[in-house]
């Protein structure tokens, strides 16, 4: 992950979650540079931005987010917690072992899942005819770079946190879903949408509009993932 990628990934995540294109201000760029200079890992900064927007959307506020400064507090909190996981990362203690035993998944199993997903992303990016759309090709490359950083970080953490790992993976999955949707043509979307409508038709009258639309969107994302052969990164898909 080079110097400029750090800035562009944060910019892209902020714009994607905001939902409307907005040029970052000089103050926003200075904030990103301060994170970079202090050594805030990219995946930690992105996780903080995702959390900030999740919180914003949960509160259903009327005012839109206009600056990256809105995410600063959450990024700082995520970074502070990340630093705690690095304490003693080179010294295995009995307490660390016990904490890891309480984790829902063994570290080796999680790392194997991440390695498989990373390999799939890299191979998909190389596959001829699979990623003709430049946007999707770029997204696959970015996802692979981020996943590499996350995997290495999880492997070296003194106290790996599966919940925060899942948060980071969810952010990458969101980015990939956006790129997949943009890459899908009408000839791909129309038959899939028609099939989903047919599947949900018997249940539509028993569901409120919001629940129906959410279910439809979830199924559409799932089918598009399958169509483009893009792996799911979430630990939910971890092979036990």
């Amino acid at each position: 992950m080079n110097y400029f990628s750090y800035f562009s990934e944060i910019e892209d995540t902020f714009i994607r979650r905001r939902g409307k294109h907005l040029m970052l201000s000089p103050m926003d760029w200075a904030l990103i540079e301060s994170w970079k200079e202090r050594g805030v890992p990219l995946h930690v900064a992105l996780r903080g931005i995702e959390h900030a927007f999740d919180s914003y959307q949960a509160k259903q506020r009327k005012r839109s987010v206009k600056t990256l400064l809105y995410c600063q507090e959450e990024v700082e909190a995520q970074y502070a917690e990340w630093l705690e996981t690095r304490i003693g990362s080179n010294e295995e203690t009995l307490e660390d072992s016990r904490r890891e035993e309480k984790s829902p998944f063994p570290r080796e199993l999680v790392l194997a899942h991440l390695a498989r997903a990373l390999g799939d992303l890299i191979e998909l990016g190389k596959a001829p005819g699979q990623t003709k759309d430049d946007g999707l090709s770029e997204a696959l490359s970015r996802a692979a770079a981020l996943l590499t950083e996350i995997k290495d970080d999880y492997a070296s953490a003194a106290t790996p946190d599966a919940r925060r790992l899942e948060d980071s993976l969810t952010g990458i999955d969101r980015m990939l879903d956006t790129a997949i949707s943009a890459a899908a043509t009408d000839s791909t979307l129309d038959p899939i949408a028609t099939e989903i409508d047919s599947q949900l038709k018997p249940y539509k009258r028993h569901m409120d509009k919001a629940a129906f639309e959410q279910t439809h969107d979830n199924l559409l994302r799932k089918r598009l993932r399958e169509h483009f052969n893009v792996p799911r990164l979430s630990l939910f898909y971890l092979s036990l």
Side-chain angles (χ1 to χ4, degrees):
M1 189 67 67
N2 62 40
Y3 182 86
F4 296 104
S5 293
Y6 189 92
F7 287 79
S8 61
E9 286 292 343
I10 290 176
E11 179 187 32
D12 179 81
T13 300
F14 176 75
I15 292 173
R16 172 171 53 79
R17 288 307 307 268
R18 185 177 182 273
K20 297 179 180 179
H21 190 80
L22 177 71
M23 298 294 292
L24 295 184
S25 69
M27 184 70 74
D28 292 331
W29 288 113
L31 178 61
I32 298 175
E33 187 164 14
S34 73
W35 292 340
K36 177 70 174 175
E37 290 177 349
R38 289 168 53 205
V40 179
L42 177 59
H43 71 275
V44 173
L46 298 183
R47 186 168 66 217
I49 294 170
E50 295 277 3
H51 266 237
F53 273 96
D54 287 344
S55 176
Y56 169 82
Q57 291 174 348
K59 294 175 183 178
Q60 297 182 340
R61 295 178 177 175
K62 294 182 179 180
R63 288 188 175 183
S64 61
V65 176
K66 294 182 173 60
T67 172
L68 187 62
L69 290 171
Y70 178 84
C71 307
Q72 181 179 14
E73 184 177 347
E74 185 59 37
V75 171
E76 295 293 344
Q78 292 290 332
Y79 180 50
E81 292 179 0
W82 177 82
L83 287 174
E84 290 181 5
T85 71
R86 313 309 297 172
I87 297 175
S89 59
N90 296 321
E91 300 176 7
E92 182 70 20
T93 66
L94 179 60
E95 184 179 357
D96 292 336
S97 299
R98 287 173 178 169
R99 277 189 222 168
E100 188 159 346
E101 287 174 1
K102 294 180 181 179
S103 174
F105 310 109
R107 190 194 302 238
E108 293 77 13
L109 193 63
V110 173
L111 290 175
H113 168 72
L114 297 179
R116 279 193 301 272
L118 178 58
D120 290 342
L121 288 173
I122 292 173
E123 287 302 313
L124 183 58
K126 295 178 180 177
Q130 285 283 352
T131 56
K132 293 180 180 179
D133 179 88
D134 289 340
L136 182 52
S137 297
E138 180 186 0
L140 290 169
S141 177
R142 290 165 51 198
L146 284 169
L147 192 56
T148 298
E149 179 182 298
I150 290 170
K151 181 174 73 68
D152 292 345
D153 183 80
Y154 195 85
S156 61
T159 53
D161 190 324
R163 181 177 63 83
R164 298 200 178 282
L165 170 63
E166 177 66 14
D167 289 341
S168 292
L169 296 178
T170 298
I172 301 177
D173 268 333
R174 283 172 174 163
M175 182 264 287
L176 287 171
D177 283 336
T178 299
I180 291 169
S181 296
T185 61
D186 289 342
S187 60
T188 298
L189 281 171
D190 291 345
I192 294 177
T194 299
E195 181 181 344
I196 293 173
D197 287 338
S198 178
Q199 288 178 330
L200 294 180
K201 187 176 181 180
Y203 311 100
K204 186 173 183 179
R205 64 178 179 176
H206 302 293
M207 303 169 69
D208 62 49
K209 183 178 180 181
F212 176 82
E213 291 178 349
Q214 184 63 58
T215 302
H216 188 283
D217 289 345
N218 289 342
L219 288 173
L220 182 60
R221 282 196 296 270
K222 179 177 181 293
R223 291 294 306 277
L224 286 175
R225 282 265 186 161
E226 295 170 352
H227 176 81
F228 286 99
N229 295 318
V230 178
R232 285 283 188 178
L233 307 184
S234 170
L235 296 179
F236 179 80
Y237 299 92
L238 186 149
S239 300
L240 298 175

